[in-house]
Amino acid sequence: MRSYGIYVLTRFAQFLLVVFIGISLTFFITHLSPIDPVEQMIAGMTAMGQSDPEAVSLMRTALQELYGTGGPLIEQYFTYWGRILSADFGPSLSSFPTPVSVLIGRALPWTIGLLATCTVISWVFGNLLGGLAGYFRENRMLKLAGVIIMGFHPVPYYIIAFVLLIIFGLMWPILPTSGGAAANLPRGWNAEYLISVLRHSILPAASIILVGLGGWFMGMRALVSNVITEDYVTYAELGGVKRSRILPFYVIRNALVPQVTGLAMSLGAIFNGAIIVEFVFSYPGLGRLLISAVYAGDYGLVLGVTTISIVAVSAAVFLIDILYPVFDPRVKLA
């Protein structure tokens, strides 16, 4: 138990180091760009008629204090870390004076709902079909399913998104092609609104799932193909154990370990947002929010979204590391 405690502390220190390095790199890359949000806002105001030099100077000072961009770069860096630790990313430039945390809070449930569901569905069906295809290698239906799934896999998911948009938006318009729900419906936990959310998510979800199935399918089929050659599987078959028991308990159970790792990392990565898919379907998630922030030069919002993504992915890897020795005793506590 003591060795496991040391193992957890070591992995936690690695987690903190990765988060620190990732956020620091994001900060310096963003702040070394030629875009200055304060000067952008001042330029917009002067274009509308504000030309008093003293007023412009006072405005610049106030905005630099508001966005934490005044003073040397290192001072801005420590100011930013103070804001992170207090969960305050400051106001958004593109949606002033709305705080960045509020904008992220609005977009986050949409991204989590869409991508978490798509990731789990892809993982379950990809592993199920891959496990069956790896074990029953001569089954024609499984071979056909494998050909279809692998046919979608090399295609970028935004191409699938455009194809679905053309089919169901122009040729056969039976599904909504933009937004997260109908604009004329009040938000709430009522059947009408939830059905609208579900209908609006079908096309974005389909474009992600169709592409995502192939990776899980291919990985699981390869893992199962290796596992079925192990001695314990051969002995079980020779001993008369039913295939309906061998497949789930002897084969798939052992092949799932690396796939669970991939699932945890994929769930951590959902905080990046499905950027292009969300943009194509105007889905109100983090990906669309990030693109809008980049176009507007709102690097406070860019830093907020990327910070959450870095922490989420690092946390997923950390959880994998500390849970692996519990579920798989072959992992050494080193």
Side-chain angles (χ1 to χ4, degrees):
M1 183 60 68
R2 182 173 177 273
S3 60
Y4 182 71
I6 296 172
Y7 174 83
V8 171
L9 289 175
T10 303
R11 293 298 184 268
F12 184 67
Q14 292 176 351
F15 161 73
L16 294 178
L17 180 62
V18 169
V19 170
F20 173 76
I21 293 174
I23 293 176
S24 298
L25 286 174
T26 303
F27 173 87
F28 286 113
I29 291 172
T30 306
H31 280 67
L32 290 174
S33 71
I35 300 175
D36 188 333
V38 172
E39 295 303 326
Q40 274 198 332
M41 181 172 282
I42 290 175
M45 290 181 176
T46 53
M48 291 187 294
Q50 176 60 270
S51 58
D52 184 5
E54 185 177 351
V56 170
S57 177
L58 290 173
M59 187 188 306
R60 179 181 286 107
T61 302
L63 290 173
Q64 285 177 343
E65 183 178 349
L66 184 63
Y67 288 106
T69 59
L73 186 61
I74 191 67
E75 183 179 329
Q76 297 178 38
Y77 175 68
F78 286 117
T79 299
Y80 181 68
W81 269 108
R83 290 187 169 187
I84 288 177
L85 295 176
S86 60
D88 176 20
F89 295 100
S92 166
L93 171 68
S94 56
S95 301
F96 187 85
T98 308
V100 167
S101 55
V102 172
L103 294 175
I104 294 175
R106 291 173 184 170
L108 197 57
W110 293 99
T111 291
I112 292 176
L114 175 67
L115 292 187
T117 303
C118 292
T119 301
V120 171
I121 291 175
S122 299
W123 187 84
V124 170
F125 284 98
N127 282 307
L128 178 61
L129 292 172
L132 292 172
Y135 191 69
F136 301 105
R137 287 174 286 185
E138 302 303 322
N139 188 289
R140 292 184 178 180
M141 292 299 296
L142 290 172
K143 285 184 177 181
L144 177 61
V147 170
I148 295 173
I149 291 172
M150 294 310 299
F152 283 107
H153 182 60
V155 182
Y157 64 88
Y158 55 84
I159 299 297
I160 301 295
F162 281 123
V163 171
L164 293 176
L165 187 63
I166 292 170
I167 293 174
F168 295 101
L170 299 175
M171 299 172 60
W172 193 28
I174 60 171
L175 291 172
T177 57
S178 64
N184 60 341
L185 292 177
R187 293 189 177 187
W189 295 98
N190 55 79
E192 189 177 10
Y193 181 74
L194 294 177
I195 291 172
S196 177
V197 170
L198 181 61
R199 293 187 71 246
H200 280 74
S201 68
I202 290 175
L203 293 183
S207 62
I208 297 170
I209 291 172
L210 287 173
V211 176
L213 278 173
W216 300 118
F217 176 88
M218 187 166 52
M220 192 62 176
R221 185 177 61 181
L223 289 167
V224 167
S225 297
N226 290 328
V227 170
I228 60 176
T229 61
E230 297 288 341
D231 292 340
Y232 64 87
V233 177
T234 303
Y235 292 153
E237 291 175 340
L238 293 175
V241 179
K242 294 182 179 179
R243 283 190 163 188
S244 59
R245 180 172 179 79
I246 292 175
L247 180 59
F249 296 106
Y250 289 72
V251 178
I252 291 182
R253 184 177 179 181
N254 287 285
L256 268 181
V257 174
Q259 298 295 81
V260 171
T261 303
L263 174 63
M265 295 186 69
S266 297
L267 289 174
I270 67 175
F271 292 89
N272 297 325
I275 295 177
I276 300 180
V277 167
E278 290 182 4
F279 191 76
V280 168
F281 293 105
S282 298
Y283 200 77
L286 283 179
R288 184 164 174 261
L289 185 66
L290 181 60
I291 289 180
S292 301
V294 171
Y295 282 149
D298 187 355
Y299 65 53
L301 185 52
V302 171
L303 282 170
V305 174
T306 52
T307 297
I308 288 178
S309 300
I310 290 168
V311 173
V313 175
S314 302
V317 175
F318 169 66
L319 289 175
I320 295 167
D321 282 341
I322 64 173
L323 291 177
Y324 243 163
V326 176
F327 295 107
D328 190 352
R330 295 172 295 180
V331 177
K332 295 182 179 179
L333 299 178

